[in-house]
Amino acid sequence: MKLKAKKIAPKRPEGTDKELYRAALHTLGGEAQTRMLFEEMAELQNAICKFGRERDTAEHIAEEIADVQIMLEQMMLHFKVETPVVDWRAVKLARLEQRVQEAMRKGSGTDENEKSLLSLDKLQEMARRQKPVWCSDADGIHAGLLCMRDDWFCSEKTPHIWILDEEANVGVYNVEYMMKCGAKFYLLCPAGYEWSDSTHD
């Protein structure tokens, strides 16, 4: 997933985002920015729903996530909850990690778990449709979004995975290389459920 050149803005100097957020809250008003948060969240929800029916793109979802993230960071300043958010984030991530690991342990060695293990061919097929998967590697268990993109050493597109880490940093990794290093990929959906490729209104 590559943004078009006209959409790429110069990187802002480090530490200036908060100044901009404070200026926005002061100039536009906290109440107005709170309403804007509601609008941006609704647009993100709509984009994700459409993506599930293959009526939208991962690039548009990335744009809407950026909008929501900017508004949420303003809300942290508006309500003066920056430190509590950091604390609660750590708690929530620990709970999520525990739930995921318990679910993986319960499924380990079962027929359903083996059925959900994805081959490279299946991952390549899913990457063409930008499908989500679980990835289990030496660093833990992650949810990621598959895509097809170029490698510097290869002229053709190969399966890659977008992964969001604990600090909200996005990394893009070559799936085949990860598998060679021991990573395993599983369907990111409930047992017995298959992702539908059909489009419904």
Side-chain angles (χ1 to χ4, degrees), residues 53-175:
R53 295 179 289 159
E54 298 192 354
R55 295 171 65 109
D56 214 327
T57 65
E59 181 176 336
H60 186 212
I61 289 176
E63 178 184 351
E64 297 301 340
I65 287 175
D67 285 338
V68 172
Q69 189 173 37
I70 288 170
M71 297 311 301
L72 288 174
E73 289 170 353
Q74 290 182 59
M75 293 301 100
M76 289 166 62
L77 291 175
H78 179 53
F79 293 104
K80 298 180 175 61
V81 291
E82 288 182 275
T83 299
V85 167
V86 172
D87 295 339
W88 275 111
R89 178 180 172 84
V91 171
K92 299 295 184 178
L93 285 172
R95 289 178 184 173
L96 176 60
E97 182 178 27
Q98 183 179 5
R99 288 200 302 270
V100 170
Q101 290 178 348
E102 287 176 355
M104 293 295 289
R105 281 197 296 270
K106 289 179 181 178
S108 180
T110 66
D111 291 338
E112 289 301 322
N113 192 54
E114 291 302 318
K115 288 178 183 178
S116 68
L117 184 63
L118 299 168
S119 66
L120 181 59
D121 288 341
K122 182 63 176 178
L123 288 165
Q124 184 166 354
E125 176 188 336
M126 293 174 68
R128 293 192 183 98
R129 292 174 287 157
Q130 294 183 316
K131 296 297 184 180
V133 292
W134 283 119
C135 170
S136 174
D137 62 13
D139 294 325
I141 301 168
H142 324 277
L145 184 68
L146 293 168
C147 64
M148 297 292 287
R149 61 179 289 159
D150 298 323
D151 272 314
W152 64 270
F153 56 84
C154 181
S155 60
E156 60 184 33
K157 293 183 181 296
T158 58
H160 284 65
I161 184 169
W162 292 77
I163 293 177
L164 189 69
D165 67 19
E166 294 180 358
E167 298 179 352
N169 298 311
V170 177
V172 187
Y173 307 96
N174 182 290
V175 167

Side-chain angles (χ1 to χ4, degrees), residues 33-45:
Q33 291 304 86
T34 301
R35 290 196 300 269
M36 181 60 70
L37 169 64
F38 299 154
E39 293 180 20
E40 298 295 1
M41 289 192 299
E43 289 178 7
L44 174 58
Q45 179 181 357

